[in-house]
């Protein structure tokens, strides 16, 4: 695949919390533009911005009221166009967040759809034909609309589901996926995509990508058809545009037309059928929970034994089994996206030390595929225990303002501290960019250094080959080969002898101590060693 994803490393920005340039206490688009050089300097050459559109913000912007308008609190469309231009000047790319499965209940389409008189938007959402008839499969709301029927939800109550049809319609009010209503919805979403692509955006992160067609089968046959059709539009008219799915099933997402898909580790416990549909039956992913942190802080069900924890971490084998299967199925067709965490999960600092994090990130950034880093993870920002804000609930603590430097609002905003979007980390030792820049061994500088290693060596980038060399049940070390490189990780607190032959090779990058000894590698406590 000859494209810009070959060496892409993404930075995810939650716009309300990144950098405030107009002193209103909330981050803005111009704040992202102002920090482009910082992001590029980290080694990230691409950005995913969470929804920045006009919205009542009942789900922090995932409840879109106008797909084509930047929320005034973030600035104007012109600001965003300027950001695209400034990014391109620096050879960077920007993905917006596309929310195709639902809108806000305040979207003009929905306001018209709920009217009694038939109109262009009557079939844009999923409605039954009687105010007392719903379905056991999906949540719905009755008694709120002019028209006689209930409407179906895609997530929160404020997010009515757009109508892409049902795989096998059973009721007369259920449309098929090739029905005029379903096609009109799909075309409307394509129009939204075209609008932003025409203005210079480079593609989309797609929210709940697997959720479009209702009662879809396990293969997501119906939803896949829709994405394949959309991919055709991109290939024909926007061949440089790229899409990453929030699907968490790379083989299926890539078959459906995606260029890349996240491997998410949302907790499965207590999820409704609705949420399981969207997050690809997360109970199947429970092994992943052991290797990447990511459960929300309020979930008491999970005890973290992620691989990188020094004292109580598990071995890598269960992760590797899943990963290898996904990798083999997608190699050469699309990319797996591993991520430090995202705006829906607990920050990894919640249960990992900075040293553990440095091993974790070094692993993520030397794996194949296209990695993503959530803003602030590069300095080890904490998960803060906070009351819910804009539908965040347990996710709110991962959405706090970026910590740039000591002093007022940690450099995020010049507004009064009582006016900022969410409180900043109040502890004296809250990490900041400014301080970590001065410390050569800081997490920030480790991230920069490992990303430079990746940038300088094609073998370590998206397409470089991957082969596991050592992974054993009950053993903590893990060794793998990326093209001409051999990488050995020892997350434990003891020195380990790893039966991997690196004789005659040079150590070109490392955390902790390690060296080749005969046909083995001696890997010091909490070490990460790259041999060339
Ligand atoms: C997934 C998004 O990442 C999350 O933040 C949002 O609440 C839901 N989808 C609904 O759009």
């Amino acid at each position: 695949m000859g494209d810009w994803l070959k060496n892409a490393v993404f930075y995810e920005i939650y716009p309300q919390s990144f950098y405030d340039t107009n002193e209103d206490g909330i981050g803005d688009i111009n704040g992202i533009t102002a920090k482009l050089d910082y992001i590029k300097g980290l080694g990230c050459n691409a950005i995913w911005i969470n929804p920045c559109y006009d919205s009542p913000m009942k789900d922090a912007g995932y409840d879109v009221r106008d797909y084509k308008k930047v929320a005034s609190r973030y600035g104007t469309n012109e600001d965003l166009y300027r950001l695209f231009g400034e990014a391109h000047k620096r050879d960077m790319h920007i993905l917006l967040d596309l929310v195709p499965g639902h809108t806000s209940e305040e979207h003009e389409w929905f306001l018209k759809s709920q009217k009694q008189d038939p109109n262009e938007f009557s079939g844009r959402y999923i409605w039954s034909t009687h105010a007392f008839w719903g379905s056991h499969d999906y949540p719905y709301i009755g008694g709120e609309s002019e028209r006689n029927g209930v409407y179906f939800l895609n997530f929160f109550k404020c997010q009515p589901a757009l109508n892409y049809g049902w795989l096998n319609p059973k009721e007369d009010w259920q449309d098929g996926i090739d029905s005029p209503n379903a096609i009109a919805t799909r075309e409307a979403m394509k129009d939204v995509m075209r609008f932003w692509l025409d203005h210079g955006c480079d593609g989309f992160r797609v929210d709940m990508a697997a959720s479009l067609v209702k009662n879809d089968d396990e293969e997501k046959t119906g939803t896949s058809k829709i994405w394949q059709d959309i991919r055709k539009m991109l290939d024909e008219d926007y061949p440089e545009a790229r899409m990453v799915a929030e699907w968490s099933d790379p083989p299926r997402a890539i078959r459906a037309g995606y260029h890349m898909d996240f491997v998410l580790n949302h907790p499965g416990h207590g999820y409704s059928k609705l949420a399981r549909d969207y997050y690809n039956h997360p109970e199947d992913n429970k092994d992943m929970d052991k290797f990447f942190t990511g459960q929300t802080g309020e979930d008491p069900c999970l005890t973290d034994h992620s691989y990188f924890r020094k004292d109580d971490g598990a071995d890598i084998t269960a992760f590797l089994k899943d990963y290898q299967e996904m990798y083999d199925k997608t190699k050469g067709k699309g990319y797996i996206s591993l991520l430090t965490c995202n705006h829906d999960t607990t920050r990894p600092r919640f249960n990992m030390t900075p040293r553990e994090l440095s091993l974790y990130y070094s692993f993520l950034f030397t794996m194949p595929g296209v990695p993503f880093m959530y803003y602030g993870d590069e300095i080890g920002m904490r998960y803060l225990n906070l009351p819910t804000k804009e539908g965040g609930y347990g996710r709110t603590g991962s959405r706090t303002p970026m910590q740039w430097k000591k002093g007022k609002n940690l450099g995020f905003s010049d507004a009064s501290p009582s006016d900022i979007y969410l409180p900043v980390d109040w502890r004296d030792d809250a990490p900041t960019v400014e301080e970590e820049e001065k410390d050569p061994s800081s997490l920030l500088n480790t991230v920069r250094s490992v990303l430079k290693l990746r940038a300088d060596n094609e073998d370590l980038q998206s397409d470089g080959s991957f082969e596991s060399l050592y992974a054993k049940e009950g053993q903590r070390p893990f060794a793998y080969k990326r093209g001409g490189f051999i990488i050995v990780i020892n997350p434990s607190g003891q020195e380990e002898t790893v039966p991997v032959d690196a004789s005659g090779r040079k150590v070109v990058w490392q955390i902790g101590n390690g060296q080749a000894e005969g046909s083995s590698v001696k890997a010091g406590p909490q070490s990460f060693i790259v041999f060339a």
Side-chain angles (χ1 to χ4, degrees), residues 53 64 66-70 77 81 188 191-192 195-196:
Y53 321 106
V64 180
D66 184 343
Y67 284 105
K68 297 184 180 175
K69 185 174 181 290
V70 166
N77 282 24
Y81 307 154
D191 174 61
V192 169
F195 176 83
W196 290 111

Side-chain angles (χ1 to χ4, degrees), residues 267-302:
H269 309 274
Y271 269 45
S272 62
K273 168 172 162 30
L274 179 79
R276 287 205 310 276
D277 265 8
Y278 303 147
Y279 292 127
N280 182 38
H281 308 284
E283 68 269 27
D284 298 342
N285 273 356
K286 60 182 177 305
D287 284 343
M288 293 291 192
D289 294 330
K290 294 188 186 135
F291 307 101
F292 302 118
T293 57
Q295 64 271 32
T296 52
E298 65 180 358
D299 186 331
C301 306
L302 296 174

Side-chain angles (χ1 to χ4, degrees), residues 59 62 102 155 205 207-208 246 279 343-344 395 399:
D59 185 14
Y62 282 95
H102 49 269
F155 200 71
R205 173 270 186 185
D207 189 65
M208 293 173 34
E246 188 203 24
Y279 292 127
H343 63 288
D344 291 331
R395 309 173 294 184
R399 300 175 171 186

Side-chain angles (χ1 to χ4, degrees), residues 34 44 51 89 110 115 120 162 166 176 271 311 315 317 399 436 481 487 494 507:
C44 295
K89 275 190 210 157
F110 187 72
K115 293 229 177 276
E120 189 192 340
L162 284 161
W166 299 65
Y271 269 45
D311 297 324
D315 65 57
T317 56
R399 300 175 171 186
E436 291 204 15
K481 196 159 186 271
I487 297 172
Q494 293 85 46
V507 174

Side-chain angles (χ1 to χ4, degrees), residues 101-102 154 207-214 220 223 227 277-278:
H102 49 269
N154 225 31
D207 189 65
M208 293 173 34
S211 78
L212 304 189
V213 169
K214 299 307 171 210
K220 303 279 177 192
T223 298
W227 289 118
D277 265 8
Y278 303 147

